[in-house]
Amino acid sequence: QSCHRPAGQRASQEPGSGGLPEGVEYIPTRKKGKNPMKPVGVAWYSLYARTRLGYLFYLRQVKKARERYPHGHSVSQPYCFPGVKILPIPVLSNNYSYLVIDTGSSQAAVIDPSDPLAVQAAIEEEGVMLEAIFCTHKHWDHSGGNEALCQKHSSCRVYGSALDAIPQLTNPLVDREKVSVGCLTFEALATPGHTVGHMVYVLDGGPFGSPPCLFSGDLLFLAGCGRPFEGSPETMLASLDVAMGLGEDTLLWPGHEYALECLTFASLLELDNSALEQKLQWAVQQRQEKRSTCPSTLGEEQTYNPFLRTHRPELQEALGLWQGAGEDSEAFRARVLKEVRRRKDLYQAT
């Protein structure tokens, strides 16, 4: 299997040169159903996140996805830098797990192992030793494979926030804590909002001559972001700002393949955004061929992701929002974020 070797900052992965997706991140609703953030949706989320019903739903998801996508929902390509290999693993109907390999020692870590069979198949194909599982949050579509993989790999440790009920957690992490796997160094960043204990993981690319790599879970997607199920707009905004502080060349590896839906929605907000138009055209072609849209860069995302453009006057004007007299700029940005989120939820529910 060949590797794609990026050269410097990726510019839209050469962009120019509807439907509600299945998955836990988006609460299941029928077409023309109720706004999923209304009480029925909140009740479903509570059942999913806090009871065995969620685990049973996850098992059903896994079974259906294996039948529908025996080779994964997307065609992905490994990324190689000297000494490190990143292998996206398409799982469930739109999730991604990531196998990150120290090629010198053949030690590896996996981020968010949704389907243990798919992850184990990748481990065996690559001939590596699984030493660590990094979970961004507790939801079953990101943590459901923890137990089976730990049974298979006795030395494997499970990392994540103690604030989330992550299955098989062995090593709770705090904000800015670093973990080494072979020559790989990951930094955990607390990014609450989607869940109270949501974390993202940043792979230090310095030793390999590569940009940093952000494994964002359900904090940030290509042109989108996760729902703040367990946080306020202010909390989510602060977490997004943490991610954006990593630098424009940072490679974004999201937890879901939502690019086409998110870009289509964004195009309804900013009609004259040329970067957005280019990226949408590129994503349409990618998805027609069932190809993955990962990764993008944080620099790219700032040009078209509405959840990262709350400071932009053109987006504020498109939403019909203006900063009030005496209103704090961060409070106004949170109000813009809340409105973008509201419109995105309504867009998904129709």
Side-chain angles (χ1 to χ4, degrees):
Q1 189 176 33
S2 63
C3 282
H4 182 84
R5 186 184 301 276
Q9 181 174 340
R10 294 170 51 78
S12 299
Q13 288 195 12
E14 307 298 333
S17 321
L20 185 67
E22 296 177 23
V24 175
E25 165 60 18
Y26 293 134
I27 298 174
T29 57
R30 293 186 181 276
K31 198 169 183 180
K32 299 187 183 300
K34 295 181 180 180
N35 179 350
M37 295 310 290
K38 288 185 178 179
V40 64
V42 174
W44 163 248
Y45 175 74
S46 182
L47 289 171
Y48 170 77
R50 298 181 175 89
T51 73
R52 184 168 173 77
L53 179 64
Y55 180 66
L56 296 176
F57 177 73
Y58 155 75
L59 293 178
R60 180 172 174 268
Q61 277 187 300
V62 172
K63 181 176 183 294
K64 289 177 63 177
R66 287 174 181 170
E67 293 171 352
R68 184 176 181 184
Y69 307 109
H71 304 294
H73 58 73
S74 299
V75 178
S76 60
Q77 192 171 20
Y79 268 58
C80 294
F81 305 98
V84 62
K85 181 176 184 179
I86 299 173
L87 179 64
I89 307 172
V91 289
L92 303 185
S93 61
N94 53 42
N95 282 71
Y96 285 110
S97 301
Y98 295 98
L99 188 65
V100 186
I101 302 168
D102 170 15
T103 57
S105 67
S106 293
Q107 296 182 68
V110 66
I111 291 89
D112 288 353
S114 306
D115 183 344
L117 289 186
V119 173
Q120 181 60 29
I123 291 169
E124 292 177 3
E125 183 176 347
E126 296 295 326
V128 297
M129 299 170 289
L130 184 65
E131 299 293 336
I133 292 172
F134 292 102
C135 263
T136 59
H137 61 294
K138 63 190 176 187
H139 291 162
W140 290 109
D141 64 324
H142 293 259
S143 64
N146 290 5
E147 182 175 2
L149 288 171
C150 286
Q151 290 174 353
K152 190 82 173 177
H153 304 271
S154 58
S155 65
C156 182
R157 313 296 289 172
V158 179
Y159 297 87
S161 172
L163 298 178
D164 264 17
I166 293 174
Q168 309 300 123
L169 182 67
T170 60
N171 292 61
L173 297 175
V174 297
D175 186 36
R176 306 285 174 176
E177 190 168 352
K178 295 183 178 181
V179 179
S180 293
V181 178
C183 293
L184 309 174
T185 300
F186 295 86
E187 183 176 14
L189 300 178
T191 51
H194 184 67
T195 65
V196 68
H198 193 286
M199 281 186 151
V200 299
Y201 299 97
V202 182
L203 173 65
D204 181 6
F208 313 106
S210 76
C213 292
L214 170 62
F215 299 95
S216 61
D218 283 357
L219 170 69
L220 188 61
F221 311 129
L222 194 153
C225 83
R227 285 180 174 159
F229 288 130
E230 300 180 12
S232 65
E234 290 78 9
T235 301
M236 201 69 177
L237 180 64
S239 292
L240 291 170
D241 284 349
V242 167
M244 294 315 297
L246 295 173
E248 293 188 355
D249 66 335
T250 301
L251 296 177
L252 173 65
W253 300 95
H256 289 269
E257 180 58 71
Y258 289 160
L260 191 54
E261 178 191 341
C262 290
L263 286 163
T264 302
F265 166 73
S267 70
L268 301 177
L269 298 181
E270 293 193 69
L271 303 179
D272 299 319
N273 186 326
S274 59
L276 174 56
E277 182 181 356
Q278 269 196 323
K279 191 68 174 182
L280 177 56
Q281 291 174 357
W282 172 83
V284 167
Q285 182 65 35
Q286 288 290 102
R287 297 312 298 156
Q288 284 177 346
E289 299 172 1
K290 301 299 182 185
R291 295 189 177 277
S292 171
T293 59
C294 305
S296 64
T297 69
L298 293 185
E300 267 190 271
E301 291 298 313
Q302 291 181 74
T303 67
Y304 53 67
N305 188 328
F307 296 95
L308 300 179
R309 292 171 59 78
T310 54
H311 61 294
R312 301 291 299 186
E314 53 267 46
L315 178 63
Q316 297 165 2
E317 183 178 348
L319 297 172
L321 296 177
W322 289 269
Q323 187 171 355
E327 184 178 19
D328 178 78
S329 61
E330 294 305 292
F332 178 51
R333 287 181 62 214
R335 187 155 61 90
V336 174
L337 183 67
K338 182 178 180 180
E339 177 61 14
V340 175
R341 181 75 263 172
R342 185 188 73 83
R343 295 191 184 201
K344 182 65 164 60
D345 293 339
L346 290 173
Y347 171 79
Q348 288 169 188
T350 57

